[in-house]
């Protein structure tokens, strides 16, 4: 190579400052500061092939400090990925450019994870590293043998999620995870010591990590540090001492260069300082050739790997798993038939465990877990032994008391591919990991959240533990499927739907308390797939449609009984999924929720939002209380004895 | 005292195991394990007076491991608080007992914070410790000189929030904060080492904490450790090595004793083991007398303090501040008049800064801050200098990249009293601290969240940073006031409302982009207090009411112009607060949203929920995108040019 490493790195700096300048929006400081480190990583260490961005055994690279998106856009372009083109980069942050403000996995094949919300990228990378070791244990070194690399900033390290993520990584001893920390001592508000006096290195060491430091502008020193990290069996933190905005002679090293364009004058001064004479968005041919050479490193390695794959007995299964396809003919029909044959009264959390028993036997790709509520979430089944630092082949993760860490790790496993992650906690603690759930939805990843104790039905633990607004507030996250099944059969149906949707996450909201089996006849189809369906038709002349979800469908049925006894015809509609119902034809919707009769909703949560379907709404618009479940249902008026008279009165 | 410390501690154990057994629900393990430590704390260290639970200079005690609620109920009862009575304890976890499943500040005067969601109690205590030092700096040692004590479990330490909380405490060197860690090596799923191999002590030390260990069942050793903590200027972690469920001979030391009643047989065995002969809920008179003696320690100390207060020149101001009352005659009227006099086009985040300029001059009790977005949230004003480890009198906290930690710290400041906290981040990151916002609402605390960049109007940062469902999902949290003001005047009105509501938290959702001043005439009242009001009445015959919030009120006005030009009369209703509007009379609501005309909503977020007010809904039901704001508004169809024709068509 005829071009110096400094010059290669300056290509990143030039593209970054020019793109931000053109958009007059963005974050030049990080890409300019970390350009040298990134150049070393891509030159000598990262295993990748721009021609095959989805090569299964590539290293994963996650830019956790996602605001520095021009770093990865520059690298992908320079090393020869089909996208982004230079035109894409010219249109940085403009509508329809894949070079969005923050890197998005659904825009560019070379972007492994959507980042920006600080800390979540690193936590996602932990999941990728788990998936890698897990698949390695299942498929062997020939097929799965790669690393996960992260570039993170001070923000990623200060966020609470960092503690959960590195705790999990340290516990599982994920030695193939290497975090390059952009230790520039600057945050948006100013110097890091304005808000932190933490010894980051000591904290990582306390959590089971290997820690090494280097001068982030001395490429030999960066290599030394990376080599040391590679040699250590623990996950590694490499503290790269850098100057934010390196190359901008007047602004580097200050928070002023973090999140704003440099300005024309400073861009010109940086060109001078860096000795970069090319026009904006022009890469001199020798520099471009140098980068293309780096990008070409991986193709022969991939070809070798393809050869190994071709002769591997597990080829078909490996490819199926990595493609995210369920085994041909996967179905829970037989299991559901067995439920119909022998009705039972169980909590839907228990119903979920039963379904998982069938699922985990059928699908070797599931990896379950819980944030320290295994016995309450009922997430562990016989076929899923623990995944530990000594046995990565296990299929159950004791995530510890780390809800957000769990959510992000699951996102990373799904993004890695080859694994379908599910994990449990109490529904109320979805608040702790809401940012992670949202990122699964945005990234279009199949991650399944098993959220139990889904209402006041959990009883005595009281308002801190009782979801009120949670189910409804999750329903409004785009691309998230929220299911609230009413019995053991619906629970199985909803699990099936969650598994079959490879394009987004699902939440299963499940009860602590037992529920009778309402579905006792063969349906011949997955009724929950309709989102809502008529569980019972009115016997008398229909005057009201009772719409309920989950544990309240039983109450709706009892209410219907009470009304029918008075000659008031009442349909009972079970609505396990709003999103699926919205996707039905208008005629189906009109059939289920016919005009001209009263619509009443019953759900043990906020009535906020039920205006969509019901003019009379039974629910809870305050916080809960501490008492046995049946006492609370009565206290909050959610019994047939209290609801039926109000409906009768409304019809009178 | 004639009773041994062991016997005093056994009174806690007996009440705890008996109450859990009677309820057949609850967590006996923690109270039994930490009974000895708690006995030492309350006997010799904690400054409290059961006769005056709200004595301003009392120590604060926070049971962060809130599931062990019987520990604090036992202590409050035994030391002589009016509540809980023994009858209250007999009714542990039953409806209307103040002894709820988890401790609740609104149920018992002796409970300083509502805990249960793990980690949040400790993080709340950090805020209390900040408030103490701040008020000490303002009012002096004579009036404010107390400590904050926490009992926390492994869950509290493993949660991400712990990292944020202790980072903040270490940075601010809150030496009067002492955390007693119940180091029992057990979590719900089993041994701690099932999910963590962290060196907790080293992690705390890395974050600026003093760390000391002791045998939690050796009261002399506990005293030694506490004394060491008191002597150290840093915040202290005391690792108390304990056996969970100590006293239950067959179950102690296992996760089986964590969250279930011991069972009659084991309760009997524990009585035997502990030498506790009394019947359930009976405290032998000598033991009761011993505890009452402990409870009586504080009264003379309080009396002395009362004497100092009586002669203190700042008495009235101190009492006002601690009562949470605003200064007599506090009003923003003059400031709002000045706005009317000179209309301006500013972002509502800037409008908030302007309002804060007036507020912070009028209210010495405000303490502001931001999670590393000071310049973006516009939360700092001239009168609020930094609150630092060297100057606790400051009124601005650089919280660092710690949203959840900020939210909980603010809760703690509000619970402590004497301070009105406000803090900023981007609205989208409300997801990171949703658990903290909910706890402010549940605890009925005046905490004000300044959440800027409240829609796609933030532009290029793209979907990771653009709130879609956030405003709506916050509206459904009980007792949380969500405000989305439309201009500089409404922003001031909403600030005034947030400050005047001492019984709950508020969210101000504010724009990044500039908005014209729509309110240019004196109203003579706070129009935002109505929640919604008619900003403009239709000129032509009224056919439609356009309901909008925040930045979309401008668009509604332009839409009305376009419709009026076609002879279609259109009211424009600005609705800064759903909750306030719901609280109005039906006649007011009918006047603002009259029947018989079309209601159309415009809000740059999810349309989910707008069914309540509007049959035609303009909004965004997908994730956002990365582009300049005005491009995005057009892309998502939120312009008068795109909306007006649809309304005209709907009316045709």
């Amino acid at each position: 190579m005829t071009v110096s490493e400094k010059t290669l790195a300056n290509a990143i700096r030039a593209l970054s400052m020019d793109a931000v300048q053109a958009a007059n929006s963005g974050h030049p400081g990080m890409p300019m500061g970390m350009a040298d480190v990134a150049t070393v990583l891509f030159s000598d260490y990262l295993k990748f092939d721009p021609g095959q961005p989805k090569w299964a055994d590539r290293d994963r690279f996650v830019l956790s400090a996602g605001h520095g998106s021009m770093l990865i856009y520059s690298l992908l372009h320079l090393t020869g990925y089909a996208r982004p083109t230079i035109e894409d980069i010219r249109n940085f942050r403009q509508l329809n450019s894949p070079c969005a403000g923050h890197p998005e996995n659904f825009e560019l094949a070379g972007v492994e994870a959507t980042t920006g919300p600080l800390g979540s990228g690193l936590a996602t990378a932990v999941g990728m590293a788990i998936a890698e070791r897990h698949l390695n244990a299942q498929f062997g070194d020939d097929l799965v043998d790669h690393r996960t690399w992260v570039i993170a900033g001070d923000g990623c390290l200060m966020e609470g999620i960092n503690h959960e993520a590195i705790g999990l990584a340290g516990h599982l001893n994920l030695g193939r995870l290497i975090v390059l920390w952009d230790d520039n001592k600057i945050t948006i508000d100013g110097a890091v010591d304005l808000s932190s006096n933490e010894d980051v290195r000591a904290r990582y060491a306390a959590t089971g990590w290997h820690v090494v430091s280097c001068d982030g502008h001395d490429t030999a020193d960066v290599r030394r540090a990376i080599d040391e990290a590679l040699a250590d069996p623990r996950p590694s933190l490499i503290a790269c001492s850098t100057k934010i905005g390196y190359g901008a002679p007047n602004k580097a090293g200050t928070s002023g260069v973090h999140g704003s364009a440099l300005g024309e004058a400073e861009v010109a001064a940086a060109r001078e300082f860096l000795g970069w004479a090319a026009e904006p968005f022009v890469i001199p041919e020798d520099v471009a050739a140098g980068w293309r050479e780096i990008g070409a490193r991986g193709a022969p390695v991939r070809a070798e790997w393809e050869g190994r794959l071709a002769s591997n007995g597990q080829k078909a299964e490996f490819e199926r798993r990595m493609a995210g396809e369920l085994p041909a003919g996967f179905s829970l029909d037989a299991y559901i038939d067995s439920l119909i044959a022998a009705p039972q009264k169980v909590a839907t959390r228990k119903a979920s465990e039963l379904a998982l028993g069938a699922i985990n036997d059928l699908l070797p790709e599931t990896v379950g877990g819980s944030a320290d509520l295994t016995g309450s979430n009922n997430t562990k089944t016989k076929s899923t032994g623990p995944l530990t630092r000594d046995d990565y082949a296990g299929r159950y993760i004791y995530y510890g008391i780390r809800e957000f860490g769990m959510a992000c790790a699951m996102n990373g496993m799904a993004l890695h591919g080859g694994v379908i992650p599910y994990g449990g906690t109490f529904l109320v603690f979805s608040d702790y990991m809401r940012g992670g759930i949202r990122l699964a939805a945005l990234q279009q990843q199949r991650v399944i959240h098993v959220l139990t104790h889904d209402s006041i039905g959990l009883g005595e633990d009281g308002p801190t533990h009782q979801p009120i607004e949670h189910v409804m507030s999750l329903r409004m996250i785009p691309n998230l499927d929220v299911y609230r099944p009413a019995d053991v059969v619906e629970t199985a149906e909803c699990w099936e739907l969650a598994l079959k949707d490879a394009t987004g996450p699902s939440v299963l909201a499940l009860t602590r308390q037992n529920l009778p089996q309402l579905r006792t006849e063969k349906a011949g189809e997955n009724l929950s797939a309709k989102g809502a369906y008529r569980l019972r038709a009115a016997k008398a002349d229909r005057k009201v449609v009772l719409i309920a979800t989950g544990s309240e469908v039983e109450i709706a049925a009892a209410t219907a009984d009470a009304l029918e006894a008075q000659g008031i015809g009442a349909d009972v509609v079970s609505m396990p999924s709003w999103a699926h119902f919205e996707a039905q034809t208008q005629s189906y919707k009109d059939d289920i929720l016919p005009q001209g009769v009263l619509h009443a909703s019953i759900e043990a949560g906020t009535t906020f939002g039920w205006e969509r379907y019901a003019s009379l709404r039974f629910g809870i618009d305050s916080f809960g209380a501490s008492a046995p479940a049946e006492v609370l249902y009565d206290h909050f008026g959610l019994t047939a004895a209290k609801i039926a008279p109000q409906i009768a009165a409304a019809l009178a």
Side-chain angles (χ1 to χ4, degrees), chain A:
Chain A
M1 196 178 296
T2 57
V3 190
S4 75
E5 272 192 314
K6 274 286 163 201
T7 304
L8 292 172
N10 287 342
I12 298 171
R13 294 192 171 95
L15 284 176
S16 298
M17 69 182 184
D18 289 338
V20 173
Q21 189 64 36
N24 194 26
S25 162
H27 301 74
M30 201 284 267
M32 296 178 78
M34 284 295 279
D36 298 312
V37 172
T39 300
V40 171
L41 174 64
F42 276 66
S43 297
D44 283 8
Y45 296 96
L46 192 75
K47 182 165 77 168
F48 70 108
D49 178 1
Q52 293 289 338
K54 294 303 177 194
W55 169 26
D57 199 34
R58 71 194 181 277
D59 283 359
R60 269 51 169 190
F61 169 69
V62 175
L63 185 69
S64 189
H67 52 275
S69 55
M70 272 310 304
L71 181 71
I72 189 163
Y73 299 150
S74 301
L75 288 161
L76 296 178
H77 173 69
L78 291 167
T79 55
Y81 284 79
R83 302 289 290 269
T85 63
I86 196 69
E87 203 53 33
D88 293 333
I89 290 179
R90 276 181 189 273
N91 287 312
F92 177 54
R93 294 186 156 232
Q94 307 309 305
L95 196 64
N96 300 323
S97 169
C99 295
H102 293 79
E104 295 166 352
N105 67 305
F106 48 91
E107 288 287 356
L108 288 169
V111 170
E112 302 284 1
T114 297
T115 53
L118 292 175
S120 61
L122 196 159
T124 300
V126 170
M128 294 178 179
I130 293 172
E132 191 273 343
R133 281 297 87 187
H134 177 67
L135 294 169
N136 171 273
Q138 295 195 333
F139 292 97
D141 287 346
D142 273 0
L143 299 192
V144 184
D145 183 17
H146 55 270
R147 299 184 185 280
T148 303
W149 303 84
V150 177
I151 287 184
D154 288 295
C156 295
L157 271 53
M158 217 185 288
E159 289 283 1
I161 179 70
N162 187 258
H163 171 50
E164 300 186 13
I166 72 167
L168 188 59
H171 179 67
L172 294 175
N173 200 30
L174 301 173
R176 289 168 163 262
L177 174 64
I178 300 181
V179 174
L180 299 150
W181 166 33
D182 182 15
D183 181 17
N184 61 28
K185 300 177 181 60
I186 292 291
T187 72
I188 294 173
D189 272 359
V192 168
D193 65 13
L194 205 58
S195 59
S196 177
N197 65 342
E198 177 192 321
D199 180 345
V200 170
R201 291 165 179 80
R203 177 169 68 88
Y204 269 71
T207 316
W209 282 59
H210 162 253
V211 179
V212 57
S213 300
C214 69
D215 177 345
H217 299 302
D218 175 342
T219 54
D221 202 41
V222 173
R223 282 190 171 78
R224 174 199 54 79
I226 294 178
D227 288 339
E228 197 176 301
L230 291 175
D232 195 282
R234 294 168 292 177
S236 288
L237 175 74
I238 304 179
C240 306
S241 178
T242 65
K243 186 180 256 196
I244 188 170
Y246 181 93
N250 306 302
K251 293 189 172 180
T254 72
S255 59
V257 81
H258 174 91
S260 311
L262 297 180
E264 295 294 354
E266 183 73 355
V267 168
R271 282 197 143 64
E272 182 91 7
F273 180 88
L274 297 169
W276 187 266
E279 292 298 301
F281 305 109
V282 174
I283 305 296
E285 185 42 40
D286 57 338
V287 181
W291 271 111
R292 278 198 304 271
E293 194 177 315
I294 290 168
R297 269 196 310 117
V301 185
R302 180 185 56 75
E304 266 179 59
W305 179 87
E306 302 275 7
R308 292 199 299 276
L309 176 66
S311 61
N312 192 296
Q314 296 188 89
K315 177 174 188 289
E317 175 67 2
F318 181 76
E319 289 184 330
R320 177 189 76 75
R321 295 267 303 263
M322 291 304 296
E325 287 164 8
L326 300 180
F330 167 78
S331 155
L332 293 180
D333 288 353
Y335 166 68
I336 291 173
D337 286 350
S338 76
L339 297 175
I340 299 290
Q344 57 193 313
K345 180 171 184 172
V346 293
T348 48
R349 62 177 171 144
K350 179 67 182 176
S352 172
E353 182 182 349
L354 296 172
L356 278 170
I359 291 162
N360 287 339
D361 285 347
L362 293 168
L363 301 182
E365 57 264 51
T366 54
V367 174
S370 166
D372 198 45
L373 289 167
T374 294
S376 299
N377 301 144
N378 299 63
T379 34
K380 193 166 184 309
T381 64
K382 276 183 195 158
S383 52
T384 51
L387 187 160
T388 67
R389 58 162 57 202
D390 300 315
D391 181 10
Y392 293 117
R395 291 171 56 196
Y396 193 81
I397 300 178
Y398 290 102
Y399 282 104
I401 302 122
R402 303 183 181 106
E403 296 82 6
F404 196 7
M406 174 175 73
C408 288
M410 292 201 293
N411 292 352
M413 285 187 241
L415 285 161
H416 181 282
V419 163
I420 299 176
Y422 70 86
T425 184
F426 289 159
L427 174 58
V428 81
F429 298 132
S430 61
D431 281 352
Y432 274 27
M433 57 179 182
R434 198 170 162 92
I437 297 172
R438 188 176 205 259
L439 277 171
L442 179 59
Q443 295 182 99
Q444 303 167 13
Q445 294 304 304
R446 178 168 47 192
V447 171
I448 303 172
H449 289 277
V450 180
L451 302 181
T452 69
H453 296 60
D454 74 345
S455 74
I456 53 163
L458 67 84
E460 294 90 342
D461 272 344
T464 54
H465 284 56
Q466 289 164 357
I468 295 293
E469 71 279 15
H470 298 76
V471 166
M472 196 63 81
S473 76
L474 289 165
R475 284 183 182 130
M476 60 179 62
I477 295 180
N479 197 38
L480 173 66
D481 276 332
V482 177
Y483 298 101
R484 192 163 185 259
D487 74 353
V488 65
V489 173
E490 275 194 12
T491 303
E493 289 179 340
C494 293
W495 257 111
E496 188 175 70
L497 294 170
L499 289 163
K500 286 186 170 173
D501 178 7
T503 65
S506 298
V507 159
L508 298 168
L510 304 171
T511 66
R512 176 186 186 226
Q513 73 272 30
N514 286 338
L515 300 178
Q517 183 167 330
L518 301 168
R519 291 272 299 282
T520 52
E521 288 173 32
K522 277 202 190 191
E525 63 178 325
N526 185 325
L527 290 178
S528 299
K530 303 278 194 191
Y533 62 93
R534 190 177 296 114
L535 180 71
R536 276 174 48 168
K539 294 178 196 107
D541 189 25
R542 179 169 62 200
K543 298 290 187 196
V544 60
V545 176
L546 303 171
I547 314 158
T549 77
S551 38
E552 286 67 67
V553 179
E554 174 189 9
I555 295 168
T559 302
D561 288 342
L563 292 169
E564 296 273 359
Q566 302 170 54
I568 299 170
D571 279 5
V572 176
V573 168
S574 179
M575 189 181 273
S577 162
W578 283 35
H580 280 265
F581 184 63
E582 288 296 320
Q584 303 307 308
T585 62
Q586 191 59 47
S587 68
Y588 180 80
K589 290 196 244 186
D590 289 343
D591 177 55
I592 298 300
L593 302 181
Q595 295 300 307
V597 299
L598 179 66
H599 296 177
S601 64
I602 312 177
E603 186 172 67
T606 187
T607 64
F608 195 116
W610 273 108
E611 289 92 347
R612 178 177 293 182
Y613 300 120
S615 58
L616 195 58
R617 296 171 291 276
F618 298 92
I620 306 170
D621 291 313
S622 65
F623 289 108
S626 176
E630 59 277 19
V631 175
L632 291 175
Y633 269 90
D634 184 66
H635 176 71
F636 287 106
L638 294 177
T639 63
K642 291 193 168 171
I643 292 171
Q646 294 178 68
I647 290 174
L651 289 168

